[in-house]
Amino acid sequence: MDYFQYQVPRFWYRFYWAIMLAFNLLIVGFYVSTHYVPELGSYADTFALTNTALVMSGINLVYLLAIYWSVARYSLPFATLIGYLLFSAVALYGMSQTSMQSGSYLYIAVWVVAMFLNGAYGLLVLVGAAFLTMMYAALQSNFQFAELSTPSMALLAGSVVASAAAYFFWRTRYISVQDQKVTQLSGMLRSNQQQSEILIRSIADGIIVTNTEGKITLINPAAAALTEWSVEEATGLDVQLVAKLHKEDGSEIAAEENPFALVLGQEKYINQALQITGRRGKKLVISLVASPVIVPGTKAPVGAVAAIRDISEQRAAEKQRAEFISTASHEMRTPVAAIEGYLSLALSEKVSTVDNRAKGYLEKAHSSTQRLGKLFQDLLTSSKAEDGRLNNHPAVVEMGAFMQQLTDDLKFAAEKKGLFAEFIVGDGGATIDATAKDVNAQHLIKPLYYAYVDPDRMREVITNLFDNACKYTDTGKISIGLTGNTDLVQLYLRDTGAGIPTDDIPHLFQKFYRVDSSATRTIGGTGLGLFICRKIVELYRGRIWVESQIGKGSTFFINLPRLSNQRAMELQVPESARSTAAIVNPTTSTNP
């Protein structure tokens, strides 16, 4: 309701209220005086002090004294405007009943004052009141303007003067709230635009903004340098033409898998390491973070924004470090294995004889050598996993049979510690205990969960998780589970151990990270096992995570893409053909 309001002091609205209150009190006072004081009776006809006038003024007073302030708590201008409408009805009634004769000057005077005060509501209310005045005067003279009475002419002249005075008075002294908002918004936009341009140009990372068609609408100098285009030339071109992207190893990216196509078409958030080829052929390894631009109030993106960082030097340093670790680990495995072998011989009663004290020292040395060998092996595996050299031979695997066999192999390690191990297929009411001895349970039909993975690598992941569960679980059981839906195969391993602190969970799959607790300080480990597990699972476009509560145990989950039965059969045919070819011609390579 404040749309026509000028940003004026509250004093003016209260002054307007006082004028209306005084006028209506005057009408009521005159009415009482003319009816109870005989000498003033003649004024009743002069000023049209009828019962109707009394009722109308009474309604005005009730509103002004009882209702006005309740409305004013929400909007003072709106409360005053309602009062003006009631007030104008009384004034118009008085002018009509006095037939625009001498008694009308009282009503004309307050009407002109009201016209002036209406300027606080802006030009539209002012013009509306002036139009109402002209129509009233025209009706009084039957549209014979040449026959206007003196009061009618005074009404028109006063209204014109009051309107003009009101317009210039309010316009020159106070600023419209709407104008102020527009001015403020324009200033903010200009200011924000300038600030944004300064910030974007100052950012060391490359910034590219596109519209929904993939055309570049903004590119900063850093991005221009990475793509080897100038800012002026790149603006307006297709982003895939300017930013030519390949996979980190240099292989092509399918058109539908292009990061910008995924962001604009599927509204995906992208965070990838890729290779970019500049306009003049320069190749760089970059980190690309891209996301859709969503404007509040809209569902579809209005464009995409991407941040590009050159990580070529970082990747080169990581490669050198990985090569060093790989070489050192490989070279150290031989002497460590030799030391472990000699210590084993020394501990063998058939080979040598040592006293119990010396035997204790040798056993500690042998245990330490085994841990050292495990560390070198994990370092080598993690290094290969990081730079993509990890041996990987994926095949179609029916995860139900695979996990059941794996559980049978692993359960003996749990039983040595007094723990119960079980394999469960399904979840909720459909749970099937695959290790149950009940004949009916064994004959239940289990769903086939196919996945395209390397069984040796997945065995390494599950074994690592199972060994950790055994280490950190003192009593209870370890459950290996398998479930899924049409798109996913989910493996989980649940224990009844001490649990993992909430603060440690986000870092658990990082390299060399170990939970700092009394248990981990007494139980050996390299801090690389879960990191290697994550890398292996990611090889198959899977995901691994953990949920845990202190004192209630932990559950590790693995999600893998599920193959349909038809797709599994299609993939198994080429595998069978390769196996047959390898038997017929042993020199043929079987590597995929």
Side-chain angles (χ1 to χ4, degrees):
M1 291 300 176
D2 293 341
Y3 183 80
F4 304 113
Q5 175 199 358
Y6 276 68
Q7 192 177 15
V8 301
R10 298 170 68 87
F11 159 77
W12 288 102
Y13 296 110
R14 291 172 178 170
F15 178 70
Y16 204 165
W17 172 85
I19 293 292
M20 293 185 289
L21 180 66
F23 172 74
N24 286 286
L25 286 174
L26 182 64
I27 296 298
V28 173
F30 268 23
Y31 177 89
V32 173
S33 300
T34 56
H35 282 74
Y36 293 99
V37 180
E39 294 80 2
L40 300 177
S42 59
Y43 290 103
D45 294 331
T46 303
F47 295 104
L49 301 177
T50 63
N51 292 334
T52 303
L54 178 66
V55 171
M56 294 177 69
S57 292
I59 293 173
N60 268 256
L61 289 173
V62 170
Y63 172 76
L64 293 171
L65 294 174
I67 304 174
Y68 176 88
W69 298 108
S70 297
V71 180
R73 284 190 299 178
Y74 299 97
S75 175
L76 181 61
F78 181 55
T80 309
L81 184 60
I82 295 175
Y84 161 70
L85 295 176
L86 296 173
F87 162 78
S88 62
V90 176
L92 286 172
Y93 173 79
M95 287 188 287
S96 64
Q97 292 300 309
T98 55
S99 302
M100 295 304 289
Q101 300 301 318
S102 59
S104 297
Y105 287 108
L106 171 63
Y107 299 101
I108 293 172
V110 296
W111 183 267
V112 171
V113 171
M115 288 285 292
F116 175 79
L117 294 175
N118 283 341
Y121 291 97
L123 187 60
L124 188 59
V125 173
L126 195 62
V127 170
F131 177 77
L132 182 61
T133 304
M134 293 179 61
M135 289 301 298
Y136 178 79
L139 289 171
Q140 285 293 320
S141 63
N142 292 322
F143 293 93
Q144 301 295 323
F145 292 100
E147 300 178 4
L148 284 175
S149 63
T150 303
S152 295
M153 295 179 64
L155 173 65
L156 288 175
S159 297
V160 171
V161 172
S163 298
Y167 175 77
F168 289 106
F169 178 84
W170 297 108
R171 189 70 179 177
T172 56
R173 283 167 174 76
Y174 304 107
I175 302 173
S176 168
V177 170
Q178 295 300 315
D179 292 344
Q180 185 185 45
K181 289 180 179 179
V182 171
T183 303
Q184 183 180 11
L185 179 60
S186 300
M188 289 173 62
L189 290 174
R190 287 194 296 270
S191 176
N192 289 341
Q193 184 177 7
Q194 293 172 355
Q195 292 177 6
S196 299
E197 290 179 358
I198 293 172
L199 288 173
I200 290 174
R201 290 182 178 276
S202 302
I203 293 175
D205 293 343
I207 302 294
I208 296 178
V209 181
T210 74
N211 58 17
T212 53
E213 298 177 352
K215 306 295 183 182
I216 295 176
T217 58
L218 187 150
I219 180 171
N220 71 343
L226 291 172
T227 59
E228 297 184 312
W229 286 75
S230 68
V231 173
E232 293 76 15
E233 290 178 316
T235 303
L237 295 180
D238 190 285
V239 66
Q240 296 189 34
L241 174 64
V242 175
K244 296 181 179 179
L245 300 175
H246 302 80
K247 295 181 181 178
E248 190 174 355
D249 59 4
S251 59
E252 294 291 331
I253 298 177
E256 64 275 9
E257 295 180 0
N258 186 282
F260 290 98
L262 292 175
V263 169
L264 292 171
Q266 303 181 24
E267 301 180 26
K268 288 188 175 181
Y269 173 86
I270 304 295
N271 187 354
Q272 291 180 320
L274 300 166
Q275 186 183 104
I276 189 171
T277 303
R279 188 179 185 182
R280 291 186 286 274
K282 183 179 179 180
K283 298 181 183 295
L284 297 171
V285 179
I286 61 167
S287 170
L288 176 72
V289 179
S291 62
V293 178
I294 305 293
V295 176
T298 62
K299 295 182 179 180
V302 296
V305 58
I308 304 173
R309 174 175 293 180
D310 183 3
I311 58 171
S312 300
E313 294 184 1
Q314 177 183 339
R315 281 291 191 266
E318 289 176 356
K319 185 178 181 180
Q320 290 179 350
R321 183 168 62 252
E323 289 177 352
F324 170 77
I325 293 174
S326 178
T327 303
S329 301
H330 182 75
E331 294 297 327
M332 290 296 293
R333 285 174 61 196
T334 302
V336 169
I339 294 171
E340 183 182 349
Y342 286 125
L343 289 172
S344 297
L345 290 173
L347 289 169
S348 175
E349 296 179 354
K350 296 180 180 180
V351 177
S352 62
T353 302
V354 293
D355 58 40
N356 291 333
R357 186 176 181 183
K359 185 178 181 180
Y361 294 146
L362 289 174
E363 287 176 345
K364 290 180 180 179
H366 185 258
S367 177
S368 297
T369 305
Q370 285 182 319
R371 287 199 298 270
L372 187 60
K374 181 67 167 58
L375 173 61
F376 286 136
Q377 179 61 46
D378 286 350
L379 283 171
L380 186 60
T381 304
S382 65
S383 176
K384 289 181 178 180
E386 282 187 297
D387 57 20
R389 294 184 295 111
L390 196 64
N391 290 332
N392 178 40
H393 303 286
V396 176
V397 177
E398 201 291 293
M399 299 304 295
F402 173 77
M403 294 296 291
Q404 185 169 357
Q405 180 61 49
L406 187 55
T407 304
D408 292 339
D409 296 339
L410 293 173
K411 66 181 180 181
F412 299 106
E415 291 173 354
K416 287 181 181 180
K417 197 175 178 181
L419 302 173
F420 176 69
E422 62 179 352
F423 174 52
I424 299 173
V425 179
D427 55 15
T431 297
I432 301 171
D433 186 350
T435 61
K437 301 302 182 182
D438 183 19
V439 176
N440 293 328
Q442 291 291 338
H443 284 82
L444 288 174
I445 298 176
K446 306 170 188 175
L448 298 176
Y449 293 104
Y450 289 106
Y452 194 66
V453 297
D454 186 334
D456 293 332
R457 289 299 174 193
M458 288 308 302
R459 184 178 290 107
E460 183 179 346
V461 171
I462 301 301
T463 302
N464 190 298
L465 297 178
F466 190 88
D467 289 344
N468 285 345
C470 289
K471 287 179 183 179
Y472 300 110
T473 303
D474 296 327
T475 59
K477 65 180 180 179
I478 300 172
S479 302
I480 297 177
L482 172 66
T483 184
N485 55 30
T486 55
D487 300 318
L488 292 173
V489 176
Q490 184 174 93
L491 316 176
Y492 63 86
L493 193 146
R494 181 179 297 117
D495 62 54
T496 56
I500 303 169
T502 304
D503 293 341
D504 291 308
I505 289 178
H507 312 287
L508 205 59
F509 296 94
Q510 296 176 1
K511 189 188 291 187
F512 298 114
Y513 188 86
R514 299 192 73 203
V515 177
D516 186 13
S517 67
S518 57
T520 58
R521 285 191 288 270
T522 57
I523 299 174
T526 63
L528 289 170
L530 292 179
F531 171 77
I532 294 171
C533 289
R534 177 171 67 86
K535 286 295 185 180
I536 292 174
V537 170
E538 289 175 351
L539 279 176
Y540 312 115
R541 295 183 293 116
R543 175 178 172 238
I544 182 171
W545 76 98
V546 62
E547 296 177 1
S548 181
Q549 290 185 15
I550 296 296
K552 296 185 178 180
S554 306
T555 304
F556 285 82
F557 295 91
I558 298 173
N559 278 1
L560 296 170
R562 181 179 180 179
L563 296 176
S564 64
N565 293 353
Q566 180 180 356
R567 180 58 178 162
M569 296 302 105
E570 292 174 355
L571 289 174
Q572 284 177 334
V573 172
E575 291 174 8
S576 302
R578 285 199 300 269
S579 300
T580 303
I583 294 173
V584 175
N585 184 7
T587 60
T588 302
S589 173
T590 59
N591 290 333

